[in-house]
Amino acid sequence: MVDLLDALRAALPAEAVLTDPDLLSGHSRDEADLCAAGLPAVVVRPRTTEQVAAVVKIAAEHRVPLVPQGARTGLAGAANAVDGAVVLSTVAMDRILEVDPVNRIAVLQPGVVNAALAAEVAKHGLRYPPDPGSWESSMIGGNVATNAGGMCCVKYGVTTEYVFGLEVVLASGEVLRTGRRTAKGVAGYDLTRLFVGSEGTLGVITEITVGLRPAAGESLTLVALFPSTAAAGDAVAAISAQGLSPSLLELLDQTHLIALEAYQPMGLRTEAKALLLAASDTGSQAAADLERIAALCEEAGADEVYAATDSIEAAQLLQARRLAHPAMEKYAAEMFPQGNGGLIIDDVAVPRSALAALLDGVEKIAAENGVAIGVVGHAGDGNMHPNIVVDRADPASVADSQRAFDDIVELALALGGTCTGEHGVGLLKRRWLAREIGPVSLRVQQAIKAALDPEGLLNPGKVL
Amino acid sequence: MVDLLDALRAALPAEAVLTDPDLLSGHSRDEADLCAAGLPAVVVRPRTTEQVAAVVKIAAEHRVPLVPQGARTGLAGAANAVDGAVVLSTVAMDRILEVDPVNRIAVLQPGVVNAALAAEVAKHGLRYPPDPGSWESSMIGGNVATNAGGMCCVKYGVTTEYVFGLEVVLASGEVLRTGRRTAKGVAGYDLTRLFVGSEGTLGVITEITVGLRPAAGESLTLVALFPSTAAAGDAVAAISAQGLSPSLLELLDQTHLIALEAYQPMGLRTEAKALLLAASDTGSQAAADLERIAALCEEAGADEVYAATDSIEAAQLLQARRLAHPAMEKYAAEMFPQGNGGLIIDDVAVPRSALAALLDGVEKIAAENGVAIGVVGHAGDGNMHPNIVVDRADPASVADSQRAFDDIVELALALGGTCTGEHGVGLLKRRWLAREIGPVSLRVQQAIKAALDPEGLLNPGKVL
């Protein structure tokens, strides 16, 4: 058998086969913490479906694991390499193949950056709603592979709602087409949604047909400050119970407010225990919607509620929410000597009615484990990201953080929630997945994996 | 081995095991035409998941096929019995187990009638959007098994968008739980959506967790009359291209207008070649939306556009649309002696941009095959139901109709469409499914079926 590298070099252009040691180690992991990662034997950057199929076949012939990677912005280790693997990077598959405004669809390669798609479809008065935090760098292929969420999902749903069809290279190297270009269609099993969120374990996505929506109208935005995180949680439950559908409903806790003010002073009131950011994009009804949301926040105990005076202030508030993560990372880094502080990012979702209980519980977990935890997230979906501050240089701190992380997931499950609202399972939540879904579901998922990838070479060790 | 009937009688209450010959033949088929049907050996009506599991295990032990049935309102033969099968009817599993207004979910057994769910959640100011034509009698279990559509889907999406989680009895008799109760969740493969639309071939759905929405505001409605069906198709494409999102966008052709006026005179102008019914439920913006839709209809060539003067007239128009099917059935019956006239109902979806071409093509197909075809459907989704009039007593007429049916599906595929927009594959579209999805997808679907039902006893012969 020809050597793996020779075979890849024969099948791909020279610049598509990378073996430089720095590049290899640079492709060993995504942005997840606490996850193992290996060193790939080679990184390939195909441009076409045919090249992807060739790579998958070569890896199969050599019985070498194949790990698909997009922008490596994932937070669960799903894109981490295993030792000796072929890493298939989709960065060079970055073409938007079609935008069809009448049928409101776009067809694209997986390496298209989310923000690039947003910009392109905006030219046609259209919008691709899913907006993960990483949207300026993450790629649609990775968004699809992880079924990414984001801030607009509270009203517009997550990635899977927008995937009409896929082209996938299977473990066999065969090219599968799923789904449709029509608004509706029920021909056969919904393979599209099976691949969405499968984190590279069932095939390599090489083309995506997404549904688009008309661009949203301008939205109105308000901020509410609360004397406790639980009061903010109560406000979210009340907003939902009253039948309101805000286009944004985000929470930042005091730790994040302090981190944000330190990172980029905006005059946020850091003595508040929690901030809710809400928006409505219902046009002429938005002002009335926000008035009702404001009243419900006050009833839930908000100290202060104020509306953004104009779209500039609204954009600033949204930007503050988007900066919460880098601000918190800087805050954590500076909490320990030599900048060794870091964040362990958790991701759980609970029924909205349990949001207050989750937030209360996270406070207790922080105290019990002697760690600082800042909470931020998509309150309207019950999807929270508790960020645990850790001193990476101190094994005791790492152990405390890991314990707090597990306690949070345990609590979310006890509240009827899930171990991952939007980041995915990858390596980080594998153990928890088995616990959440139970042995019957695990066996069914394993049977599907075995049916599609009998040799187990596609992204081995992830999810299941 | 104990006799099949003895085993079922030992496992279920006496009234849940039916062997009366009239009842058996009454459970042999759904409402599809052109489909084979067999005579079941027994019909069971379990009330609980445990009873369903017992039935599935008994059928497996006796190697007898098991066919799940809901209200048998399906239009693709997916619920048709095979000779000697156990028919598992879900009619007695009719409990709404929970309505949770804060989390906007309901949990129900599969035998709950769509309209009963709608009425129950309305008490909480909530709404379950999917509204298939059969909503007053069809059951949510069947809606889920076929991924049913309806009129509101143009804005609100089809059944699968509203299914958060399922309980399913697998071919092994094991009970699987899929999905979640939270607004978001990405823990593992999306088994929920794999079972939605799988038409009883992968398991028996015993419990469904659905997502709900706030009740829609009152909608405004307009009617536009066109001198050709293609002009109506052009109007639909223009409405989509202009970024409008009507809450209803339905088409009736002249044949249906004539049938409706004969069935229940409403003063519809039967000289029009096509009628579009459009609505907007965007509250204070609805009037402006309808004005734009009216203008686009006029630009596309509408002779006449008029708005419903009030909610009563709007409801009457909606009711006329809902009566289109029974009216057309009566019209067809009376076209031939002894009431032998019938309808062969087709169901295709094309990209909206191809709607005019589809409508033109159906006219040609009718002429070429010497049959009458009335077209009605969800124009905003490109999902049309060409209804072919047939003289059931005349083999030549049946053959002509069958040819026209095939020509329509062929045309829809050639236009980039699908062989079924919402009715499903069942027996009726099996051959077309293989053609539409191709050999690779068919093999993947068969591999999944084999992984979940290795003995092939669940609803054999359907879909794949």
Side-chain angles (χ1 to χ4, degrees), chain A residues 66-351:
Chain A
L66 185 134
V67 179
Q69 284 184 352
R72 298 195 311 281
T73 53
L75 291 164
N80 284 10
V82 293
D83 281 333
V86 174
V87 160
L88 190 156
S89 166
T90 59
V91 289
M93 301 181 78
D94 60 354
R95 282 180 301 137
I96 296 175
L97 304 170
E98 186 185 348
V99 177
D100 177 342
V102 175
N103 296 306
R104 294 187 191 160
I105 58 174
V107 183
L108 42 144
Q109 288 190 303
V112 173
V113 169
N114 184 305
L117 175 63
E120 185 59 33
V121 303
K123 294 178 192 166
H124 301 271
L126 293 167
R127 174 181 180 215
Y128 172 71
D131 59 346
S134 58
W135 75 297
E136 288 181 306
S137 55
S138 68
M139 295 164 182
I140 302 293
N143 293 175
V144 170
T146 57
N147 192 12
M151 289 203 275
C152 75
C153 301
V154 65
K155 180 164 178 182
Y156 294 101
V158 299
T159 299
T160 195
E161 316 296 346
Y162 296 91
V163 184
F164 281 19
L166 295 172
E167 183 189 72
V168 180
V169 173
L170 298 171
S172 61
E174 290 174 302
V175 179
L176 167 73
R177 294 201 75 99
T178 76
R180 53 184 212 276
R181 288 171 62 95
T182 50
K184 281 159 88 177
V186 291
Y189 300 151
D190 187 352
L191 296 183
T192 304
R193 259 82 179 254
L194 182 61
F195 284 97
V196 175
S198 65
E199 302 185 15
T201 62
L202 300 179
V204 182
I205 295 167
T206 49
E207 191 186 292
I208 303 151
T209 301
V210 295
L212 305 170
R213 281 182 176 255
E218 205 158 298
S219 59
L220 297 180
T221 302
L222 70 70
V223 162
L225 297 166
F226 292 85
S228 72
T229 52
D234 289 339
V236 169
I239 290 164
S240 180
Q242 292 299 311
L244 290 154
S245 290
S247 54
L248 188 85
L249 189 52
E250 296 283 317
L251 180 145
L252 295 112
D253 74 350
Q254 187 176 31
T255 307
H256 280 86
L257 293 176
I258 292 168
L260 266 169
E261 278 299 306
Y263 189 72
Q264 186 173 301
M266 293 190 58
L268 297 171
R269 264 189 42 208
T270 53
E271 65 274 27
K273 294 290 183 192
L275 177 154
L276 276 186
L277 183 65
S280 175
D281 63 358
T282 53
S284 52
Q285 289 178 162
D289 291 345
L290 278 197
E291 263 177 46
R292 289 181 63 197
I293 291 172
L296 291 167
C297 286
E298 280 162 2
E299 276 172 42
D303 301 312
E304 190 181 342
V305 181
Y306 60 93
T309 48
D310 54 28
S311 61
I312 296 167
E313 192 183 356
Q316 283 170 340
L317 288 166
L318 192 64
Q319 184 60 8
R321 166 64 185 89
R322 289 209 177 271
L323 289 177
H325 184 64
M328 187 69 197
E329 282 203 313
K330 184 153 184 284
Y331 175 84
E334 291 172 359
M335 250 171 110
F336 295 99
Q338 280 93 44
N340 272 326
L343 284 185
I344 295 177
I345 303 167
D346 211 336
D347 164 50
V348 294
V350 294

Side-chain angles (χ1 to χ4, degrees), chain A residues 100-104 146-147 149-150 153 158 160-161 170 174-177 181-191 193-194 197-199 201-202 214 237 239-241 243-245 282-285 349-353 378 381 383 416-425 433 436-437 440-441 443-445 447-449 451-452 463-464, chain B residues 100-104 146-147 149-150 153 158 160-161 170 174-177 181-191 193-194 197-199 201-202 214 237 239-241 243-245 282-285 349-353 378 381 383 416-425 433 436-437 440-441 443-445 447-449 451-452 463-464:
Chain A
D100 177 342
V102 175
N103 296 306
R104 294 187 191 160
T146 57
N147 192 12
C153 301
V158 299
T160 195
E161 316 296 346
L170 298 171
E174 290 174 302
V175 179
L176 167 73
R177 294 201 75 99
R181 288 171 62 95
T182 50
K184 281 159 88 177
V186 291
Y189 300 151
D190 187 352
L191 296 183
R193 259 82 179 254
L194 182 61
S198 65
E199 302 185 15
T201 62
L202 300 179
I239 290 164
S240 180
L244 290 154
S245 290
T282 53
S284 52
Q285 289 178 162
V350 294
R352 279 182 288 262
S353 57
H378 313 303
D381 287 323
N383 181 200
T418 173
C419 69
T420 172
E422 60 177 11
H423 291 172
V425 176
L433 175 73
E436 177 176 334
I437 66 177
V440 175
S441 180
R443 274 202 302 282
V444 170
Q445 305 214 7
I448 289 170
K449 166 76 173 172
L452 281 160
V463 186
L464 300 177
Chain B
D100 176 343
V102 175
N103 297 306
R104 293 186 191 162
T146 58
N147 193 11
C153 302
V158 298
T160 195
E161 316 297 347
L170 298 171
E174 289 174 303
V175 179
L176 167 72
R177 294 201 74 100
R181 290 172 61 97
T182 50
K184 283 160 86 178
V186 290
Y189 300 152
D190 188 353
L191 297 184
R193 259 83 179 252
L194 183 62
S198 65
E199 302 185 15
T201 62
L202 300 179
I239 290 165
S240 180
L244 288 155
S245 291
T282 52
S284 52
Q285 290 177 160
V350 295
R352 279 182 289 261
S353 57
H378 314 302
D381 287 323
N383 180 199
T418 174
C419 68
T420 173
E422 59 178 12
H423 290 172
V425 177
L433 175 73
E436 177 176 335
I437 68 177
V440 175
S441 180
R443 274 203 301 281
V444 171
Q445 304 213 8
I448 289 170
K449 166 77 173 170
L452 282 159
V463 186
L464 300 178

